Amino acid sequence: AQSVTQLGSHVSVSEGALVLLRCNYSSSVPPYLFWYVQYPNQGLQLLLKYTTGATLVKGINGFEAEFKKSETSFHLTKPSAHMSDAAEYFCALYNFNKFYFGSGTKLNVKP
Amino acid sequence: SAVISQKPSRDICQRGTSLTIQCQVDSQVTMMFWYRQQPGQSLTLIATANQGSEATYESGFVIDKFPISRPNLTFSTLTVSNMSPEDSSIYLCSVGGRGGAPSSYNEQFFGPGTRLTVL
């Protein structure tokens, strides 16, 4: 069965601090993994994706994620949070022509 | 990237009525998907709509409640029928497989969504 678990529905960090959003997955086949961001009243925007190859993936806006097969994880990080990063983030897995989304993590950035 | 528009962007409807949501893409795509995002929750796939075939519905969603049309490679509609307050959600269209190619994961884009409130 395919599933995605995001730990922490809400994460709060100070501006300039490290951002870490956790994602674990379950997949019966090698997964394709994605992080999407959703700003208020907007659709989803792709941050980054892992399909094959290098396990450290760099995305837009300074975000990156590392695929760790042994830990079945794909955590999203950013070294220094900016106020504009406040949004909801979704981890997703793609298999068999379908996307499976995690429940989302709302990131709050404090000044 | 594909540019996707949805109409309406939001609506407030009375229970028992129906609303048709339109999804327009600026390029030809093979696969189109309709999702529901209920308040405070993640996205749930309603159905996959490929041009030239019947839509494929996920468990818990039926054609009578959510009829879908896919008349060509750039357009689709989702109708929410006989609405109840439980249908209040954001409905998102997404597309994959540009240029007729079936590979959806490499070209997956989302529309801005339609915010539906049912009174």
Side-chain angles (χ1 to χ4, degrees):
Chain A
Q2 329 301 315
S3 68
V4 176
T5 302
Q6 290 183 241
L7 298 175
S9 59
H10 290 80
V11 170
S12 186
V13 301
S14 298
E15 191 174 20
L18 171 72
V19 175
L20 171 61
L21 304 182
R22 300 178 186 274
C23 173
N24 289 87
Y25 68 90
S26 174
S27 177
S28 57
V29 298
Y32 297 141
L33 296 163
F34 302 77
W35 275 100
Y36 284 89
V37 61
Q38 186 178 35
Y39 297 102
N41 300 317
Q42 296 187 28
L44 275 71
Q45 179 182 0
L46 179 66
L47 271 179
L48 49 80
K49 63 183 177 186
Y50 167 79
T51 53
T52 58
T55 56
L56 182 62
V57 180
K58 294 187 185 299
I60 62 172
N61 301 337
F63 284 93
E64 61 182 36
E66 186 171 10
F67 170 63
K68 292 187 177 181
K69 184 179 178 181
S70 61
E71 299 177 7
T72 62
S73 69
F74 191 58
H75 302 330
L76 182 71
T77 61
K78 181 174 181 178
S80 177
H82 192 273
M83 296 297 292
S84 61
D85 294 326
E88 188 159 19
Y89 293 80
F90 291 94
C91 182
L93 178 155
Y94 179 86
N95 273 333
F96 307 114
N97 285 331
K98 292 181 186 177
F99 273 84
Y100 301 84
F101 285 87
S103 54
T105 298
K106 287 187 177 178
L107 176 66
N108 177 46
V109 182
K110 300 176 290 186
Chain B
S1 64
V3 177
I4 305 165
S5 60
Q6 285 185 234
K7 290 182 182 178
S9 58
R10 59 178 64 231
D11 207 342
I12 301 173
C13 301
Q14 298 297 320
R15 69 169 68 212
T17 62
S18 298
L19 176 71
T20 295
I21 302 168
Q22 299 178 4
C23 177
Q24 180 74 53
V25 191
D26 69 341
S27 57
Q28 294 185 337
V29 294
T30 302
M31 304 180 76
M32 296 182 81
F33 306 85
W34 287 99
Y35 288 86
R36 182 174 71 183
Q37 186 179 18
Q38 293 180 301
Q41 298 188 27
S42 187
L43 283 75
T44 302
L45 181 63
I46 298 172
T48 302
N50 293 335
Q51 196 270 337
S53 62
E54 296 281 333
T56 303
Y57 289 84
E58 296 300 302
S59 176
F61 297 96
V62 296
I63 187 171
D64 289 346
K65 176 67 175 177
F66 296 101
I68 288 172
S69 76
R70 182 78 202 275
N72 56 51
L73 289 173
T74 62
F75 187 78
S76 178
T77 67
L78 169 76
T79 299
V80 186
S81 303
N82 188 25
M83 289 185 284
S84 67
E86 291 71 33
D87 294 320
S88 297
S89 290
I90 300 172
Y91 291 86
L92 290 149
C93 167
S94 76
V95 304
R98 286 202 303 169
S103 57
S104 61
Y105 70 86
N106 253 339
E107 298 283 355
Q108 190 80 16
F109 303 99
F110 286 82
T114 295
R115 289 181 173 273
L116 171 62
T117 302
V118 184
L119 303 178

